[in-house]
Amino acid sequence: MGWIHKTNVVGTLNMLGLAKRVGARFLLTSTSEVYGDPLQHPQVETYWGNVNPIGVRSCYDEGKRTAETLTMDYHRSLGIEVRIARIFNTYGPRMCIDDGRVVSNFVAQALRKEPMTVYGDGKQTRSFQYVSDLVEGLIRLMEGDHVGPFNLGNPGEFTMLELAEVVQEAIDPNVKIEFRPNTEDDPHKRKPDISKAKQLLGWEPTISLRKGLPLMVNDFRQRIFGNPKTILVGGGATA
């Protein structure tokens, strides 16, 4: 997976160079994966993380950590205006249906009447924020005066089994769960401390998982099965 690390490093260098040439403010959308399998819970921005540099996930984790290093190097040495956001799990409409992310996986599987795939015992936790909350956080970050990094995520913490239950509530309570062996270096816990974003950006998420997930389910249902109320007439369509 060397191309993942290369994309993060070379892509960030290219965009930092462009920002330098045109005098633009540069936004790095980093990730909670910089914390690795954290030994601190919840994670604050001052925590340096617990990352296996030679593990199967390290190409992404270390790629983003390197991107943060490059961003701060350009900021300190060349005076480039930069902003860094560490984004936690985000979901919402128009996501790729089969992108491999846990929320889209569960929703697509449940809609297709397939068992939801849970890796390991399902007790590992994640925090899920709705996409509009993230967009609001990024806008406030870019319009503000603080470099960051800032954790942007929803502190509501769910185990994978609890997430599966929320998906069952939204789609079909009879959808089954299928357990498979866990993946290597899968973080056990993930939850953002957003005190810094609250204080300096005046930001915190407002949409809970139970409120946001049905909006994503409706979008996935239409794209997987089509809109049954739409009838093609001649060259156009009518509802």
Side-chain angles (χ1 to χ4, degrees), residues 176-195:
K176 298 187 182 303
I177 296 173
E178 180 179 282
F179 291 89
R180 293 186 185 177
N182 204 0
T183 54
E184 188 178 337
D185 292 332
D186 187 36
H188 292 88
K189 290 182 179 292
R190 189 63 59 71
K191 176 182 178 178
D193 183 314
I194 60 169
S195 302

Side-chain angles (χ1 to χ4, degrees), residues 60-197:
Y60 183 65
D61 299 0
E62 297 289 26
K64 285 293 190 179
R65 287 162 69 96
T66 304
E68 288 194 15
T69 300
L70 291 168
T71 299
M72 290 307 298
D73 282 347
Y74 269 66
H75 173 63
R76 284 187 289 253
S77 63
L78 299 172
I80 306 301
E81 270 203 86
V82 302
R83 302 290 184 268
I84 300 175
R86 290 176 179 165
I87 299 173
F88 285 66
N89 291 63
T90 305
Y91 69 96
R94 294 187 291 279
M95 290 179 70
C96 292
I97 291 173
D98 297 306
D99 66 2
R101 299 171 189 267
V102 64
V103 181
S104 45
N105 274 359
F106 281 5
V107 170
Q109 288 171 332
L111 286 170
R112 292 165 173 159
K113 308 296 184 185
E114 300 170 354
M116 291 183 288
T117 305
V118 171
Y119 293 93
D121 60 9
K123 294 179 181 178
Q124 62 271 47
T125 69
R126 298 293 184 271
S127 301
F128 303 100
Q129 72 176 331
Y130 191 69
V131 61
S132 61
D133 282 332
L134 171 61
V135 171
E136 177 64 23
L138 291 174
I139 291 172
R140 292 191 184 206
L141 173 59
M142 285 299 281
E143 292 181 345
D145 298 323
H146 302 282
V147 171
F150 285 93
N151 289 337
L152 295 183
N154 192 318
E157 187 177 15
F158 294 81
T159 67
M160 295 301 96
L161 288 177
E162 289 170 340
L163 172 62
E165 290 171 3
V166 175
V167 173
Q168 286 174 324
E169 291 172 13
I171 299 176
D172 182 355
N174 297 315
V175 172
K176 298 187 182 303
I177 296 173
E178 180 179 282
F179 291 89
R180 293 186 185 177
N182 204 0
T183 54
E184 188 178 337
D185 292 332
D186 187 36
H188 292 88
K189 290 182 179 292
R190 189 63 59 71
K191 176 182 178 178
D193 183 314
I194 60 169
S195 302
K196 185 177 177 181

Side-chain angles (χ1 to χ4, degrees), residues 195-232:
S195 302
K196 185 177 177 181
K198 282 183 178 181
Q199 178 184 354
L200 298 180
L201 304 180
W203 174 88
E204 62 181 311
T206 61
I207 299 177
S208 68
L209 181 62
R210 282 184 166 83
K211 181 180 177 182
L213 189 68
L215 304 176
M216 177 178 176
V217 169
N218 289 340
D219 171 71
F220 269 45
R221 181 179 282 116
Q222 288 183 5
R223 288 194 287 143
I224 290 174
F225 301 115
N227 187 346
K229 295 182 180 180
T230 299
I231 304 171
L232 293 178

